Amino acid sequence: MDKETNLDSIEAEFKEIRDELKEILYDIRTYLMEAQSPIPNDLDKERLREELKAERG
């Protein structure tokens, strides 16, 4: 029974780590897609606003 309990706990830990890695990879993919998109994202819009304000004085 100890081996089965140990195996179950290892499987549960593996699933938890796998799910965390999926989320991290999804975040990385989303970031890269936004960075490569020709459509300006929110960060670009804010940066452009700040540049315009600085130029206008």
Side-chain angles (χ1 to χ4, degrees):
M1 193 72 167
D2 276 338
K3 289 181 181 180
E4 188 173 322
T5 305
N6 190 25
L7 182 61
D8 290 341
S9 67
I10 291 172
E11 285 178 353
E13 184 178 350
F14 172 76
K15 287 179 182 178
E16 182 179 328
I17 292 171
R18 183 189 64 197
D19 292 342
E20 288 177 20
L21 284 173
K22 280 183 181 180
E23 287 181 35
I24 291 169
L25 290 173
Y26 180 76
D27 290 342
I28 291 171
R29 185 179 75 178
T30 302
Y31 176 80
L32 289 174
M33 289 175 70
E34 286 179 359
Q36 294 173 349
S37 173
I39 301 169
N41 60 28
D42 292 339
L43 293 174
D44 289 336
K45 288 178 185 176
E46 184 62 30
R47 182 181 53 81
L48 291 172
R49 277 191 206 114
E50 289 177 7
E51 287 178 9
L52 285 173
K53 285 180 184 178
E55 287 177 6
R56 291 180 184 167

